[in-house]
């Protein structure tokens, strides 16, 4: 890919370049045109963003400006927190999918800001979310092994069940909220 990966973070992610290349290889090359680099830092230090928000912000897209090409920042302390042992273990287990999701969201922002011209300002968040979900599905299918191949025929049924359970859960939460008022 033409996108350069810079690792300025003190936290090390195993095989970072290879993981980033695998994610970017799923996306059409035209969608990455103009994105020059992805910089991995400990914490995003953009002064225009509030300090509280910077601490939890996993990534930041910097669009093309006069004299500067588009680039992105990824905060590794958000992907790999140093807090409790359980959080550290879970973040180590889920680092690949979380990294893929963050990178795809950055690519979605780049695509919709620079290339896709029909996106309205109000629809931008939804368009980026659907773009990232679409390519994350492709990434997940490429990463999976035997388990995914075995469960693929059952996925539509499992998705329907998940949708029904999610709907029931939301109804229960709403009932509890109404009961508390």
């Amino acid at each position: 890919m033409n996108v350069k990966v810079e690792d300025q973070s003190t936290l090390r992610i195993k095989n970072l370049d290879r993981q980033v290349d695998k994610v970017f290889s799923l996306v059409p090359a035209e969608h990455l045109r103009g994105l020059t680099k992805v910089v991995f830092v400990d914490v995003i230090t953009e002064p225009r963003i509030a300090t509280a928000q910077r601490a939890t912000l996993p990534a930041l897209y910097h669009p093309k400006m006069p004299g500067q090409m588009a680039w992105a920042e990824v905060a590794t302390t958000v992907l790999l927190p140093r807090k409790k042992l359980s959080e550290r273990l879970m973040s180590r287990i889920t680092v690949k999918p979380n990294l893929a999701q963050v990178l795809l969201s950055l690519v979605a922002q780049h695509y919709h800001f620079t290339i896709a011209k029909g996106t309205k300002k109000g629809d931008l968040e939804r368009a980026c979310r659907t773009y990232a979900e679409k390519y994350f599905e492709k990434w997940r299918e490429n990463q999976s092994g035997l388990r995914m191949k075995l469960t693929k025929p059952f996925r539509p049924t499992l998705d329907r069940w998940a949708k029904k359970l999610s709907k029931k859960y939301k109804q229960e939460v709403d009932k509890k909220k109404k009961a508390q008022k």
Side-chain angles (χ1 to χ4, degrees):
M1 288 286 126
N2 295 336
V3 180
K4 183 179 172 186
V5 177
E6 294 180 13
D7 190 6
Q8 299 175 357
S9 173
T10 57
L11 293 173
R12 295 291 171 226
I13 298 175
K14 190 175 180 181
N15 301 324
L16 181 65
D17 291 335
R18 192 167 17 137
Q19 289 180 25
V20 172
D21 284 342
K22 282 183 182 180
V23 172
F24 285 162
S25 67
L26 294 172
V27 180
E30 305 87 48
H31 296 189
L32 294 173
R33 188 176 302 136
L35 185 65
T36 55
K37 65 182 175 178
V38 176
V39 181
F40 288 86
V41 294
D42 286 334
V43 178
I44 294 174
T45 58
E46 180 66 36
R48 294 176 286 190
I49 298 174
T51 308
Q53 187 179 8
R54 270 188 267 159
T56 59
L57 192 64
L60 182 64
Y61 172 70
H62 299 274
K64 182 179 178 180
M65 307 263 281
Q68 179 184 7
M69 297 298 288
W71 62 287
E73 273 182 293
V74 178
T76 56
T77 53
V78 177
L79 292 175
L80 298 169
R82 297 179 182 169
K83 296 179 183 174
K84 295 184 240 172
L85 177 66
S86 60
E87 286 182 15
R88 287 195 312 251
L89 289 174
M90 286 306 295
S91 65
R92 284 286 175 192
I93 291 170
T94 61
V95 71
K96 282 184 183 180
N98 289 343
L99 180 63
Q101 191 71 34
V102 166
L103 291 172
L104 288 170
S105 69
L106 290 169
V107 171
Q109 290 176 41
H110 174 70
Y111 172 72
H112 286 290
F113 276 133
T114 59
I115 299 168
K117 299 296 180 190
T119 309
K120 295 180 182 174
K121 196 173 189 176
D123 298 333
L124 188 63
E125 184 179 344
R126 186 170 15 124
C128 288
R129 185 177 293 121
T130 56
Y131 180 96
E133 287 173 359
K134 173 185 170 185
Y135 285 104
F136 186 70
E137 277 291 319
K138 288 183 180 181
W139 177 85
R140 192 171 63 191
E141 287 177 9
N142 284 352
Q143 295 297 312
S144 64
L146 180 64
R147 182 181 54 151
M148 184 66 105
K149 290 175 184 166
L150 290 174
T151 60
K152 192 169 186 176
F154 306 110
R155 195 174 309 146
T157 306
L158 295 173
D159 288 342
R160 280 194 303 271
W161 288 353
K163 192 174 181 180
K164 285 180 184 178
L165 289 173
S166 154
K167 188 176 179 180
K168 285 182 181 180
Y169 176 74
K170 286 181 184 177
Q171 289 173 349
E172 290 294 324
V173 169
D174 289 342
K175 284 181 185 177
K176 287 182 181 179
K177 284 183 181 179
K178 287 180 182 177
Q180 287 178 352
K181 290 181 182 181

